[in-house]
């Protein structure tokens, strides 16, 4: 099994080009891009040829999952979830491939009580 390259977003060899692609040592990067705060992993994103493409995850400083979802060609795609610091689901969003891609959104408070529910009309 081949290991996936991982770089730190704060590495001095990381840059962006005019097309907003992530570069590592001058080349569009393919692999995982991590962000750390005081040595604690707080985000991990997958890139292909310098473009956000794949899993996208964030954590609170205590290691609790904060959000996760999938990105295709730099745009949210499918289900994205966010959690409150106590681990309770905060929101669930669903994106499709259309230009106005947010199709559904539900939110909850820290106790898990539903706050909002929204669906975009297909018409």
């Amino acid at each position: 099994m081949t290991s996936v390259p991982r770089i730190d977003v704060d590495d001095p060899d990381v840059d962006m080009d005019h097309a907003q692609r992530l570069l590592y040592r001058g080349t569009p990067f393919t692999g995982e891009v991590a962000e750390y705060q005081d040595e604690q992993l707080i985000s991990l994103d997958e890139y292909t040829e310098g473009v956000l493409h794949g899993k996208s995850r964030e954590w609170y400083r205590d290691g609790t999952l904060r959000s996760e979802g999938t990105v295709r060609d730099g745009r949210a795609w499918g289900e994205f979830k966010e959690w409150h610091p106590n681990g309770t689901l905060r929101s669930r969003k669903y994106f499709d491939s259309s230009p106005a891609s947010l199709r559904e959104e539900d939110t909850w408070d820290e106790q898990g009580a539903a706050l909002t529910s929204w669906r975009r009309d297909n018409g």
Side-chain angles (χ1 to χ4, degrees):
M1 186 170 145
T2 307
S3 65
V4 174
R6 181 183 287 185
I7 60 173
D8 186 329
V9 72
D10 294 322
D11 186 307
D13 289 328
V14 173
D15 201 1
M16 297 291 270
D17 68 8
H18 64 281
Q20 297 301 303
R21 293 179 305 171
L22 187 129
L23 305 177
Y24 181 65
R25 297 183 177 157
T27 303
F29 181 73
T30 296
E32 295 178 332
V33 177
E35 182 177 4
Y36 297 89
Q37 192 172 63
D38 299 326
E39 299 183 24
Q40 174 67 40
L41 180 66
I42 60 168
S43 74
L44 187 62
D45 297 307
E46 295 176 357
Y47 280 76
T48 300
E49 292 297 314
V51 177
L52 193 55
H53 189 89
K55 291 181 184 176
S56 179
R57 292 162 286 185
E58 294 180 315
W59 292 267
Y60 289 102
R61 291 206 38 185
D62 69 359
T64 302
L65 189 61
R66 182 181 189 143
S67 68
E68 73 176 354
T70 302
V71 178
R72 288 191 176 171
D73 297 320
R75 296 180 44 171
W77 184 87
E79 187 175 67
F80 257 80
K81 292 181 178 179
E82 277 187 88
W83 289 268
H84 290 282
N86 68 2
T88 303
L89 190 61
R90 174 191 299 258
S91 70
R92 185 194 75 57
K93 297 176 183 178
Y94 181 79
F95 298 86
D96 65 18
S97 60
S98 69
S101 66
L102 182 61
R103 302 295 299 183
E104 303 175 3
E105 181 177 17
D106 298 294
T107 62
W108 297 268
D109 68 16
E110 288 188 43
Q111 290 71 47
L115 295 174
T116 63
S117 184
W118 174 85
R119 305 288 180 268
R120 189 170 89 202
D121 285 340
N122 290 330

PDB file of all heavy atoms in Angstrom, residues 39-55:
ATOM      1  N   GLU A  39       0.864  21.994  18.057  1.00  0.00           N
ATOM      2  CA  GLU A  39       1.125  20.584  17.791  1.00  0.00           C
ATOM      3  C   GLU A  39      -0.120  19.693  17.776  1.00  0.00           C
ATOM      4  O   GLU A  39      -0.023  18.487  17.620  1.00  0.00           O
ATOM      5  CB  GLU A  39       2.167  20.026  18.771  1.00  0.00           C
ATOM      6  CG  GLU A  39       3.498  20.740  18.647  1.00  0.00           C
ATOM      7  CD  GLU A  39       4.564  20.162  19.549  1.00  0.00           C
ATOM      8  OE1 GLU A  39       4.469  18.985  19.941  1.00  0.00           O
ATOM      9  OE2 GLU A  39       5.509  20.914  19.852  1.00  0.00           O
ATOM     10  N   GLN A  40      -1.312  20.277  17.925  1.00  0.00           N
ATOM     11  CA  GLN A  40      -2.572  19.529  17.863  1.00  0.00           C
ATOM     12  C   GLN A  40      -3.139  19.668  16.451  1.00  0.00           C
ATOM     13  O   GLN A  40      -3.312  20.785  15.957  1.00  0.00           O
ATOM     14  CB  GLN A  40      -3.572  20.072  18.886  1.00  0.00           C
ATOM     15  CG  GLN A  40      -4.963  19.469  18.804  1.00  0.00           C
ATOM     16  CD  GLN A  40      -5.002  18.004  19.177  1.00  0.00           C
ATOM     17  OE1 GLN A  40      -4.338  17.585  20.107  1.00  0.00           O
ATOM     18  NE2 GLN A  40      -5.778  17.233  18.453  1.00  0.00           N
ATOM     19  N   LEU A  41      -3.433  18.534  15.797  1.00  0.00           N
ATOM     20  CA  LEU A  41      -4.046  18.560  14.469  1.00  0.00           C
ATOM     21  C   LEU A  41      -5.430  19.176  14.571  1.00  0.00           C
ATOM     22  O   LEU A  41      -6.265  18.720  15.351  1.00  0.00           O
ATOM     23  CB  LEU A  41      -4.146  17.131  13.913  1.00  0.00           C
ATOM     24  CG  LEU A  41      -4.766  16.973  12.534  1.00  0.00           C
ATOM     25  CD1 LEU A  41      -3.885  17.614  11.468  1.00  0.00           C
ATOM     26  CD2 LEU A  41      -4.977  15.492  12.225  1.00  0.00           C
ATOM     27  N   ILE A  42      -5.674  20.255  13.781  1.00  0.00           N
ATOM     28  CA  ILE A  42      -6.990  20.892  13.806  1.00  0.00           C
ATOM     29  C   ILE A  42      -7.707  20.834  12.463  1.00  0.00           C
ATOM     30  O   ILE A  42      -8.904  21.068  12.395  1.00  0.00           O
ATOM     31  CB  ILE A  42      -6.931  22.349  14.320  1.00  0.00           C
ATOM     32  CG1 ILE A  42      -6.031  23.208  13.452  1.00  0.00           C
ATOM     33  CG2 ILE A  42      -6.534  22.391  15.789  1.00  0.00           C
ATOM     34  CD1 ILE A  42      -6.158  24.707  13.714  1.00  0.00           C
ATOM     35  N   SER A  43      -6.968  20.523  11.375  1.00  0.00           N
ATOM     36  CA  SER A  43      -7.645  20.307  10.098  1.00  0.00           C
ATOM     37  C   SER A  43      -6.795  19.415   9.207  1.00  0.00           C
ATOM     38  O   SER A  43      -5.567  19.403   9.298  1.00  0.00           O
ATOM     39  CB  SER A  43      -7.968  21.624   9.380  1.00  0.00           C
ATOM     40  OG  SER A  43      -6.822  22.203   8.824  1.00  0.00           O
ATOM     41  N   LEU A  44      -7.493  18.656   8.349  1.00  0.00           N
ATOM     42  CA  LEU A  44      -6.833  17.768   7.404  1.00  0.00           C
ATOM     43  C   LEU A  44      -7.689  17.727   6.143  1.00  0.00           C
ATOM     44  O   LEU A  44      -8.865  17.365   6.195  1.00  0.00           O
ATOM     45  CB  LEU A  44      -6.688  16.365   8.000  1.00  0.00           C
ATOM     46  CG  LEU A  44      -5.868  15.365   7.204  1.00  0.00           C
ATOM     47  CD1 LEU A  44      -4.420  15.829   7.068  1.00  0.00           C
ATOM     48  CD2 LEU A  44      -5.913  14.001   7.888  1.00  0.00           C
ATOM     49  N   ASP A  45      -7.092  18.159   5.032  1.00  0.00           N
ATOM     50  CA  ASP A  45      -7.796  18.238   3.759  1.00  0.00           C
ATOM     51  C   ASP A  45      -7.025  17.473   2.694  1.00  0.00           C
ATOM     52  O   ASP A  45      -5.796  17.457   2.710  1.00  0.00           O
ATOM     53  CB  ASP A  45      -7.929  19.697   3.304  1.00  0.00           C
ATOM     54  CG  ASP A  45      -8.752  20.534   4.251  1.00  0.00           C
ATOM     55  OD1 ASP A  45      -9.884  20.132   4.557  1.00  0.00           O
ATOM     56  OD2 ASP A  45      -8.266  21.588   4.684  1.00  0.00           O
ATOM     57  N   GLU A  46      -7.762  16.899   1.750  1.00  0.00           N
ATOM     58  CA  GLU A  46      -7.146  16.188   0.635  1.00  0.00           C
ATOM     59  C   GLU A  46      -7.144  17.089  -0.598  1.00  0.00           C
ATOM     60  O   GLU A  46      -8.143  17.735  -0.906  1.00  0.00           O
ATOM     61  CB  GLU A  46      -7.899  14.895   0.336  1.00  0.00           C
ATOM     62  CG  GLU A  46      -7.816  13.901   1.477  1.00  0.00           C
ATOM     63  CD  GLU A  46      -8.632  12.640   1.245  1.00  0.00           C
ATOM     64  OE1 GLU A  46      -9.332  12.528   0.215  1.00  0.00           O
ATOM     65  OE2 GLU A  46      -8.575  11.751   2.116  1.00  0.00           O
ATOM     66  N   TYR A  47      -6.006  17.105  -1.282  1.00  0.00           N
ATOM     67  CA  TYR A  47      -5.816  17.906  -2.490  1.00  0.00           C
ATOM     68  C   TYR A  47      -5.403  17.020  -3.648  1.00  0.00           C
ATOM     69  O   TYR A  47      -4.698  16.028  -3.468  1.00  0.00           O
ATOM     70  CB  TYR A  47      -4.720  18.958  -2.277  1.00  0.00           C
ATOM     71  CG  TYR A  47      -5.182  20.179  -1.532  1.00  0.00           C
ATOM     72  CD1 TYR A  47      -5.374  20.148  -0.158  1.00  0.00           C
ATOM     73  CD2 TYR A  47      -5.441  21.366  -2.208  1.00  0.00           C
ATOM     74  CE1 TYR A  47      -5.800  21.274   0.534  1.00  0.00           C
ATOM     75  CE2 TYR A  47      -5.863  22.501  -1.531  1.00  0.00           C
ATOM     76  CZ  TYR A  47      -6.043  22.443  -0.160  1.00  0.00           C
ATOM     77  OH  TYR A  47      -6.464  23.558   0.503  1.00  0.00           O
ATOM     78  N   THR A  48      -5.823  17.406  -4.860  1.00  0.00           N
ATOM     79  CA  THR A  48      -5.388  16.766  -6.099  1.00  0.00           C
ATOM     80  C   THR A  48      -4.944  17.864  -7.044  1.00  0.00           C
ATOM     81  O   THR A  48      -5.724  18.780  -7.339  1.00  0.00           O
ATOM     82  CB  THR A  48      -6.526  15.947  -6.733  1.00  0.00           C
ATOM     83  OG1 THR A  48      -6.935  14.931  -5.812  1.00  0.00           O
ATOM     84  CG2 THR A  48      -6.075  15.291  -8.030  1.00  0.00           C
ATOM     85  N   GLU A  49      -3.700  17.794  -7.475  1.00  0.00           N
ATOM     86  CA  GLU A  49      -3.127  18.798  -8.378  1.00  0.00           C
ATOM     87  C   GLU A  49      -3.370  20.223  -7.885  1.00  0.00           C
ATOM     88  O   GLU A  49      -3.703  21.115  -8.664  1.00  0.00           O
ATOM     89  CB  GLU A  49      -3.663  18.620  -9.801  1.00  0.00           C
ATOM     90  CG  GLU A  49      -3.191  17.350 -10.467  1.00  0.00           C
ATOM     91  CD  GLU A  49      -1.680  17.317 -10.660  1.00  0.00           C
ATOM     92  OE1 GLU A  49      -1.101  18.310 -11.120  1.00  0.00           O
ATOM     93  OE2 GLU A  49      -1.081  16.267 -10.337  1.00  0.00           O
ATOM     94  N   GLY A  50      -3.254  20.418  -6.555  1.00  0.00           N
ATOM     95  CA  GLY A  50      -3.369  21.742  -5.969  1.00  0.00           C
ATOM     96  C   GLY A  50      -4.776  22.209  -5.657  1.00  0.00           C
ATOM     97  O   GLY A  50      -4.963  23.304  -5.129  1.00  0.00           O
ATOM     98  N   VAL A  51      -5.778  21.396  -5.965  1.00  0.00           N
ATOM     99  CA  VAL A  51      -7.176  21.766  -5.751  1.00  0.00           C
ATOM    100  C   VAL A  51      -7.762  20.886  -4.647  1.00  0.00           C
ATOM    101  O   VAL A  51      -7.569  19.666  -4.639  1.00  0.00           O
ATOM    102  CB  VAL A  51      -8.000  21.601  -7.046  1.00  0.00           C
ATOM    103  CG1 VAL A  51      -9.468  21.918  -6.817  1.00  0.00           C
ATOM    104  CG2 VAL A  51      -7.423  22.480  -8.149  1.00  0.00           C
ATOM    105  N   LEU A  52      -8.484  21.519  -3.714  1.00  0.00           N
ATOM    106  CA  LEU A  52      -9.158  20.777  -2.659  1.00  0.00           C
ATOM    107  C   LEU A  52     -10.090  19.757  -3.301  1.00  0.00           C
ATOM    108  O   LEU A  52     -10.978  20.113  -4.086  1.00  0.00           O
ATOM    109  CB  LEU A  52      -9.938  21.756  -1.782  1.00  0.00           C
ATOM    110  CG  LEU A  52     -10.479  21.283  -0.452  1.00  0.00           C
ATOM    111  CD1 LEU A  52      -9.385  20.702   0.433  1.00  0.00           C
ATOM    112  CD2 LEU A  52     -11.164  22.424   0.268  1.00  0.00           C
ATOM    113  N   HIS A  53      -9.847  18.475  -3.002  1.00  0.00           N
ATOM    114  CA  HIS A  53     -10.604  17.409  -3.663  1.00  0.00           C
ATOM    115  C   HIS A  53     -10.491  16.144  -2.809  1.00  0.00           C
ATOM    116  O   HIS A  53      -9.452  15.494  -2.787  1.00  0.00           O
ATOM    117  CB  HIS A  53     -10.035  17.150  -5.062  1.00  0.00           C
ATOM    118  CG  HIS A  53     -10.877  16.228  -5.888  1.00  0.00           C
ATOM    119  ND1 HIS A  53     -11.902  16.684  -6.683  1.00  0.00           N
ATOM    120  CD2 HIS A  53     -10.846  14.891  -6.041  1.00  0.00           C
ATOM    121  CE1 HIS A  53     -12.467  15.654  -7.301  1.00  0.00           C
ATOM    122  NE2 HIS A  53     -11.844  14.558  -6.915  1.00  0.00           N
ATOM    123  N   GLY A  54     -11.561  15.826  -2.080  1.00  0.00           N
ATOM    124  CA  GLY A  54     -11.553  14.652  -1.212  1.00  0.00           C
ATOM    125  C   GLY A  54     -12.117  15.004   0.148  1.00  0.00           C
ATOM    126  O   GLY A  54     -12.910  15.929   0.286  1.00  0.00           O
ATOM    127  N   LYS A  55     -11.682  14.271   1.158  1.00  0.00           N
ATOM    128  CA  LYS A  55     -12.181  14.501   2.512  1.00  0.00           C
ATOM    129  C   LYS A  55     -11.638  15.803   3.078  1.00  0.00           C
ATOM    130  O   LYS A  55     -10.500  16.180   2.827  1.00  0.00           O
ATOM    131  CB  LYS A  55     -11.755  13.356   3.435  1.00  0.00           C
ATOM    132  CG  LYS A  55     -12.437  12.055   3.133  1.00  0.00           C
ATOM    133  CD  LYS A  55     -11.974  10.991   4.100  1.00  0.00           C
ATOM    134  CE  LYS A  55     -12.576   9.641   3.741  1.00  0.00           C
ATOM    135  NZ  LYS A  55     -12.075   8.578   4.614  1.00  0.00           N
TER     136      LYS A  55
END
